[in-house]
Amino acid sequence: MDSSPRERFVHYEESFARQAGLVSSETGKLREEGLNFEDIIRIIVTVENDLSDVEGWLRAMEVELKTVGSSDKKLFSEKVARAKREFADLSRSLQSRRMQAESAALQRPSDTRKTLTTTNNRLDNATNMLQNSQKLVHQSEVAGEHTLSTLDLQ
C-alpha cells in the first residue's frame, strides 16, 4: 500500500483518536462503586496498555509531520500539539482516578493488606512493562528520524 505522507498522517490521527476514546472510556470505569483491587488493577493495566498505544500513534504523527508538504505543515503541527495536550490530559486523568479508586478500596474493611500488596506488585509489573514499551516507542522514533534524515541526505 503506497500512500502519501498526508494520508499516513490522517490514518495515524484517526488511530490516535480511536485509541484515546478507549482510554477515556476505560478510565471512567475507575469511578464505579465497590471496585476491589483486582478490578482496579485489571482496569489500570488495560488503560496503561491503551495509553501506550495512544502515545505510539502520537509519535507516528510527529514523525510523519516531518515529511508532509509545506502546505499541510501548519495545520498538522496544530493537530500534533492538540494530540500532545490530549495525551497529557489522559495521563493525568488516569493517575487521578487511580488514586481515588485505590483510596476508596482501602477504606473498605473487607480488603486485606495481602491483597493490596499482591495487586500493587501486579501494578508495578504492568507499569514497568508500559515503561519498557515507551522506551521501545522512543527507540523506534529515533530510528525513524535517523532513516528519514538519511533519506533526505540522499
Side-chain angles (χ1 to χ4, degrees), residues 56-107:
W57 291 119
L58 173 60
R59 298 295 174 233
M61 289 168 61
E62 289 175 323
V63 169
E64 203 60 50
L65 177 63
K66 296 174 183 176
T67 65
V68 297
S70 58
S71 62
D72 292 325
K73 190 76 78 175
K74 183 177 179 187
L75 174 64
F76 287 3
S77 292
E78 292 169 359
K79 289 181 177 196
V80 167
R82 274 195 304 272
K84 284 181 178 181
R85 287 190 301 273
E86 183 175 354
F87 176 75
D89 290 345
L90 288 169
S91 296
R92 280 191 297 274
S93 176
L94 171 60
Q95 293 311 314
S96 172
R97 290 189 181 163
R98 172 185 173 178
M99 288 189 294
Q100 291 169 354
E102 288 175 348
S103 176
L106 279 172
Q107 292 175 3

Side-chain angles (χ1 to χ4, degrees), residues 76-141:
F76 287 3
S77 292
E78 292 169 359
K79 289 181 177 196
V80 167
R82 274 195 304 272
K84 284 181 178 181
R85 287 190 301 273
E86 183 175 354
F87 176 75
D89 290 345
L90 288 169
S91 296
R92 280 191 297 274
S93 176
L94 171 60
Q95 293 311 314
S96 172
R97 290 189 181 163
R98 172 185 173 178
M99 288 189 294
Q100 291 169 354
E102 288 175 348
S103 176
L106 279 172
Q107 292 175 3
R108 286 191 297 277
S110 62
D111 293 323
T112 65
R113 177 147 177 75
K114 181 179 178 185
T115 303
L116 175 61
T117 303
T118 302
T119 53
N120 276 342
N121 286 340
R122 286 184 184 167
L123 181 57
D124 289 342
N125 289 339
T127 300
N128 288 336
M129 285 177 26
L130 176 60
Q131 289 171 341
N132 289 338
S133 295
Q134 290 172 335
K135 286 178 188 175
L136 286 172
V137 167
H138 175 71
Q139 290 170 350
S140 297
E141 178 183 334

Side-chain angles (χ1 to χ4, degrees), residues 11-27:
H11 169 72
Y12 299 151
E13 180 184 27
E14 290 170 351
S15 297
F16 173 92
R18 189 172 35 260
Q19 202 71 34
L22 288 174
V23 168
S24 183
S25 174
E26 287 293 316
T27 301

Side-chain angles (χ1 to χ4, degrees), residues 46-66:
T46 299
V47 172
E48 285 184 340
N49 285 332
D50 290 344
L51 193 60
S52 179
D53 291 343
V54 169
E55 184 178 27
W57 291 119
L58 173 60
R59 298 295 174 233
M61 289 168 61
E62 289 175 323
V63 169
E64 203 60 50
L65 177 63
K66 296 174 183 176

